[in-house]
Amino acid sequence: MEQQGEINSLLAKVTDRQIKSTGEVPVKAKQLSINLIVERARGEFEKALASTGMNAERFMRILITEVKNSPKLTEIAFKNPTSLLGACMEMASLGLDPAIPNEVALVPYGDNATCQIEYK
């Protein structure tokens, strides 16, 4: 556990330096941020999904994959994690599965993420 803390500390220093020199956030820092954001909300996802019968672990893995596959959502996760979590929590509370085509989607609007219920 202590080693992970040292790794995170080093990553934070490298990230700060790269942001100052290039203005960009390293990809590795973005990926770790997404994982941490979703993991910290695990308890809330479990509560929201309890009545739906969906597995919180599966739901979280799908969310992480969705965000990592979208550069705009990745930026939102890093800059405005509250917006991303709000949209994800809305999905969970409605019992919508982001893995099912045409059911629900995470959609970036400017610097915010929204939960959009899809239809045909």
Side-chain angles (χ1 to χ4, degrees):
M1 193 64 137
E2 186 176 320
Q3 184 181 17
Q4 186 63 39
E6 291 174 15
I7 291 170
N8 288 342
S9 175
L10 180 60
L11 181 61
K13 289 177 186 176
V14 170
T15 300
D16 288 342
R17 286 186 187 142
Q18 183 166 346
I19 291 171
K20 287 176 184 173
S21 66
T22 67
E24 295 180 5
V25 179
V27 172
K28 185 68 173 172
K30 288 180 187 177
Q31 291 173 345
L32 285 175
S33 293
I34 295 164
N35 292 350
L36 289 173
I37 290 165
V38 174
E39 185 59 39
R40 286 182 182 155
R42 174 186 293 275
E44 296 303 315
F45 284 130
E46 288 172 349
K47 289 176 193 174
L49 293 168
S51 64
T52 67
M54 277 200 293
N55 181 320
E57 184 70 30
R58 176 181 172 276
F59 184 81
M60 290 168 42
R61 278 195 323 267
I62 292 167
L63 292 178
I64 290 169
T65 302
E66 291 289 319
V67 173
K68 285 183 178 179
N69 286 335
S70 168
K72 185 62 179 163
L73 285 174
T74 302
E75 283 297 319
I76 291 170
F78 192 76
K79 292 179 179 177
N80 190 1
T82 305
S83 169
L84 179 68
L85 281 179
C88 295
M89 203 56 68
E90 184 178 350
M91 261 190 249
S93 65
L94 293 172
L96 299 174
D97 190 339
I100 297 175
N102 299 323
E103 186 164 293
V104 67
L106 275 175
V107 180
Y109 284 111
D111 289 336
N112 295 307
T114 61
C115 167
Q116 183 170 335
I117 300 171
E118 298 188 337
Y119 61 94
K120 290 184 179 182

